[in-house]
Amino acid sequence: MASKLAALQRWVDEVAALTRPTRIHWCDGSDAEYQALVQQMLQTGDLVELNQQTHPGCYLHRSSPSDVARVEHLTFVCTKEHEDAGPNNHWMDPAEAHAKMDGLFADCMEGRTLYVIPYCMGPIDSPLARCGVEITDSPYVVANMRTMTRMGAAALARIEREGLLSNDSFVKGLHSIGELDPERRFIMHFPEDLSIKSYGSGYGGNALLGKKCHALRIASWQARSEGWLAEHMLIVGIENPQGQTHYVAAAFPSACGKTNLAMLIPPDGYRRDGWKVWTVGDDICWMRPGADGRLYAINPEAGFFGVAPGTSAGSNPNALASIARDTIFTNVAVTADNQPWWEGLPGEPALDWQGRAYDPANGPAAHPNARFTVSAKQCPTWSPKAEDAQGVPISAIVFGGRRPSLVPLVFEARDWAHGVLVGGAMGSETTAAATGAVGVLRRDSMAMKPFCGYHYGDYFQHWLSFDQPGAQLPKIFHVNWFRKGKDGKFLWPGFGDNLRVLEWMIARVEGKAAGVDTPIGTLPAQGELRTDGLALDGAALDELLHVDQAGWQAEAAAIGDYLREFGQRMPQRLHDELQRVASALAGGPRVSAVAS
Ligand code: GTP
Ligand code: SPV
Ligand code: MN
């Protein structure tokens, strides 16, 4: 096969001349193609068959042990001007980066097949969707891209149609697993020519280029120039007993609860009352203002690449139901009867994620960043609106992170500009989703630190720019499910019970809850957070809703230092907003516990 779009055909020819593959395969996205790839990978050992009685259509991939997560220190944004990438990104001169990468790619596909993957991010007929083409030599990447994107013939048709109208009709992503050598591994982005070059890793966000590289880093750049937002957010629909649904978008850093919140199961009492939760997306949200001034969001992905460890009947039954069949597992353990296993599931592991006989001395049986890849259609709560070409209207935006102390369970920003400050000031403890130390508190503005494809100062300005006459913007909230008590345990039960907090937010959106104003924002007034059926004592709730004035003064000072790191491009509006909060903390009304 080939393409009638000259720009695409020329690029594939150029890449083939550089990488010298033995074969070229244009992916059509069919079942037959997927099955053939699976059979081939079973033969090469790239996939291992799991128990087909208990898990039909499920396979295990064991990645190279030094290739198990995103590599932020090897990820670059290569803009002509260094300043445009911002202090939040690693930068390399584009000419230097191309030369370096082309050196690595030279002849790297000898003896391999070059796969051409046309894909669409978002419903294939959506005006909000965008297309890309990934070239890879990894059949595992092809199989995952088929689940995670709309991949194949329909995407190619859209690319060819749009290619007649514009030179920028698709993002070009070039990927090779290379030698899987961490010393020869780079993830390079060229937002000015909508292209990506990734070498040396086969793992998730490094290799499935539609996901973080395209749908966040490149898309955030495109979104800025075109007036929309590309965000690291889940999208969830909350249906009340009257049958009205509010859509909420929430940004939490990697492995901080997006998949769990997106698939939440209401607590018993809520279920009996008729509350329902609908999953629209679990990782990425593209949104833009509609004709009525509201923000409309699509999930650009078609599947979930979710964290396996901790996924259980208690924490996320919807995820567990989704992955009972037709799922690729990466770096999980297996039981004696060859079922996938990870910490949090009943039973016990026989082999660990590296295929060794399980020995606790070697650490956890499943890698902490072990993942499942599954079609979103398999999720029992998959929203009927998830494939809507126009997207869903967003009522509330939520920011949150892992904050063991200080940050209350929930508060509401007083307006859009304050909300942008709240998102910008976000902090969270690092997780196993990226290589490096785990559990270190760092600033992660809007959960986009690893994913914003340009200068954070410009990004905050772009966020502020949505506040225009006629805009019907969502309310902005901040949550913290991860506050710990003196015993080191989480104070809040989390998971399904997070609906209690969402219910308060929706009541605020509808003007039905009063709240208590504090210098950091509005918290639930006494009795506003529904706690029936919860084993939570009054002292814990007081602590969860307490605003520690001295602690917040220190936090505000730290936020100020952080904002100043972005220099001249940081909007003055955010400095002013922080100043307003700091003054209120210093001299404003006394802050106290607001609930018991
Ligand atoms: P990425 O896919 O990496 O972007 O992450 P994600 O934000 O989708 O993360 P996910 O929902 O998979 O969360 C993973 C981790 O967060 C697991 O360890 C969960 O157990 C934990 N987690 C999720 N929700 C909660 C919660 O409400 N409370 C607590 N204590 N832990 C939670
Ligand atoms: C994340 O790290 O935020 C992920 C997983 O969603 S990966 O696709 O590997 O980036
Ligand atoms: Mn993510």
Side-chain angles (χ1 to χ4, degrees):
M1 217 177 93
S3 175
K4 56 182 186 242
L5 182 63
L8 173 55
Q9 188 61 52
R10 199 178 327 118
W11 175 56
V12 172
D13 290 344
E14 278 165 19
V15 168
L18 174 68
T19 58
R20 299 177 57 83
T22 305
R23 254 169 46 84
I24 296 181
H25 176 90
W26 288 70
C27 300
D28 62 14
S30 63
D31 275 339
E33 179 180 77
Y34 180 80
Q35 292 308 335
L37 281 167
V38 166
Q39 288 313 313
Q40 176 196 326
M41 286 190 279
L42 287 171
Q43 266 157 33
T44 57
D46 276 337
L47 289 185
V48 177
E49 193 170 75
L50 290 165
N51 186 325
Q52 297 296 301
Q53 265 73 54
T54 58
H55 290 76
C58 291
Y59 303 95
L60 165 64
H61 173 72
R62 294 192 180 108
S63 75
S64 166
S66 59
D67 185 32
V68 294
R70 285 183 295 101
V71 282
E72 294 179 5
H73 59 298
L74 303 174
T75 299
F76 290 72
V77 170
C78 308
T79 45
K80 283 193 216 88
E81 299 296 327
H82 185 170
E83 180 73 2
D84 288 339
N88 43 303
N89 281 301
H90 298 296
W91 176 85
M92 197 180 287
D93 173 74
E96 189 188 334
H98 278 301
K100 186 182 204 59
M101 296 307 281
D102 292 351
L104 293 170
F105 278 109
D107 303 340
C108 75
M109 297 190 190
E110 272 177 1
R112 300 182 186 172
T113 299
L114 178 160
Y115 298 93
V116 183
I117 310 173
Y119 63 87
C120 179
M121 301 309 291
I124 194 87
D125 56 345
S126 172
L128 284 75
R130 292 302 162 95
C131 293
V133 177
E134 176 167 356
I135 293 178
T136 181
D137 55 11
S138 161
Y140 168 81
V141 165
V142 178
N144 277 269
M145 283 290 284
R146 180 178 189 255
T147 303
M148 296 304 296
T149 73
R150 280 86 173 172
M151 178 262 256
L156 181 60
R158 178 167 169 164
I159 291 166
E160 291 178 337
R161 201 170 61 239
E162 292 179 343
L164 299 176
L165 307 171
S166 150
N167 288 330
D168 292 339
S169 67
F170 65 98
V171 169
K172 298 184 181 75
L174 173 55
H175 170 256
S176 171
I177 56 172
E179 306 80 33
L180 295 174
D181 174 358
E183 301 297 321
R184 287 165 57 83
R185 178 176 297 161
F186 291 101
I187 325 294
M188 299 280 189
H189 303 75
F190 305 91
E192 285 147 344
D193 37 73
L194 304 185
S195 76
I196 303 154
K197 290 185 177 174
S198 166
Y199 188 91
S201 167
Y203 193 85
N206 303 328
L208 312 177
L209 301 186
K211 196 173 175 60
K212 305 298 182 174
C213 300
H214 176 165
L216 289 176
R217 297 193 193 96
I218 300 286
S220 63
W221 175 284
Q222 287 181 295
R224 180 187 170 218
S225 65
E226 297 171 8
W228 50 285
L229 290 164
E231 300 298 327
H232 192 203
M233 292 178 175
L234 67 95
I235 309 166
V236 66
I238 312 291
E239 182 179 332
N240 69 15
Q242 292 74 48
Q244 294 147 339
T245 304
H246 280 283
Y247 294 92
V248 174
F252 308 150
S254 303
C256 291
K258 290 184 300 301
T259 303
N260 280 273
L261 194 69
M263 298 180 188
L264 172 155
I265 293 200
D268 281 344
Y270 282 75
R271 261 211 313 277
R272 272 197 303 277
D273 292 349
W275 289 83
K276 294 194 181 100
V277 172
W278 300 104
T279 308
V280 178
D282 85 324
D283 197 48
I284 303 182
C285 166
W286 287 357
M287 53 190 164
R288 71 163 64 208
D292 59 359
R294 301 186 74 185
L295 288 183
Y296 283 80
I298 61 164
N299 168 14
E301 302 193 279
F304 307 124
F305 183 63
V307 177
T311 305
S312 70
S315 67
N316 194 344
N318 279 320
L320 211 56
S322 307
I323 60 184
R325 64 177 174 91
D326 299 315
T327 301
I328 296 177
F329 293 89
T330 299
N331 294 337
V332 300
V334 294
T335 60
D337 65 347
N338 205 26
Q339 297 189 47
W341 192 91
W342 48 81
E343 280 69 16
L345 283 182
E348 55 188 70
L351 303 180
D352 73 7
W353 64 278
Q354 298 188 55
R356 303 173 296 195
Y358 174 60
D359 177 353
N362 288 330
H367 188 277
N369 194 35
R371 299 251 169 185
F372 51 78
T373 315
V374 68
S375 168
K377 290 194 166 68
Q378 290 183 203
C379 181
T381 51
W382 186 232
S383 166
K385 288 280 194 186
E387 319 257 357
D388 192 317
Q390 300 306 319
V392 294
I394 298 297
S395 298
I397 288 176
V398 182
F399 295 116
R402 289 179 184 260
R403 294 296 301 254
S405 61
L406 186 69
V407 180
L409 178 64
V410 58
F411 62 93
E412 177 192 328
R414 70 171 202 168
D415 58 19
W416 184 258
H418 181 216
V420 174
L421 174 68
V422 167
M426 257 173 72
S428 193
E429 291 180 331
T430 53
T431 65
T435 56
V438 169
V440 180
L441 191 68
R442 71 164 181 180
R443 296 278 160 208
D444 189 349
S445 300
M446 275 88 168
M448 286 286 277
K449 168 71 186 69
F451 308 120
C452 180
Y454 61 102
H455 195 298
Y456 251 160
D458 296 337
Y459 172 78
F460 298 132
Q461 182 54 49
H462 182 50
W463 263 84
L464 289 170
S465 77
F466 286 84
D467 192 1
Q468 285 182 4
Q472 302 281 323
L473 294 169
K475 275 185 176 289
I476 298 181
F477 298 86
H478 190 283
V479 299
N480 180 20
W481 315 139
F482 298 94
R483 182 81 171 262
K484 288 180 178 169
K486 285 177 198 69
D487 58 0
K489 295 204 177 106
F490 293 119
L491 283 170
W492 178 250
F495 302 101
D497 287 309
N498 293 334
L499 183 59
R500 300 169 188 276
V501 177
L502 291 170
E503 182 191 18
W504 180 74
M505 291 177 193
I506 289 168
R508 289 289 299 168
V509 166
E510 293 181 336
K512 293 179 182 159
V516 169
D517 288 335
T518 82
I520 66 163
T522 305
L523 274 74
Q526 187 163 1
E528 280 185 348
L529 205 61
R530 204 172 136 188
T531 53
D532 55 293
L534 255 193
L536 188 70
D537 64 40
L541 193 60
D542 280 351
E543 201 173 337
L544 283 164
L545 296 178
H546 178 66
V547 177
D548 166 6
Q549 194 144 355
W552 273 100
Q553 282 180 306
E555 175 77 0
I559 293 167
D561 291 343
Y562 170 69
L563 297 186
R564 279 186 290 279
E565 286 173 24
F566 299 96
Q568 290 302 314
R569 295 206 192 188
M570 176 56 67
Q572 184 59 36
R573 185 79 173 82
L574 289 194
H575 290 301
D576 295 347
E577 198 55 34
L578 179 63
Q579 190 51 50
R580 184 189 60 75
V581 173
S583 305
L585 282 165
R590 221 183 70 82
V591 183
S592 62
V594 293
S596 61

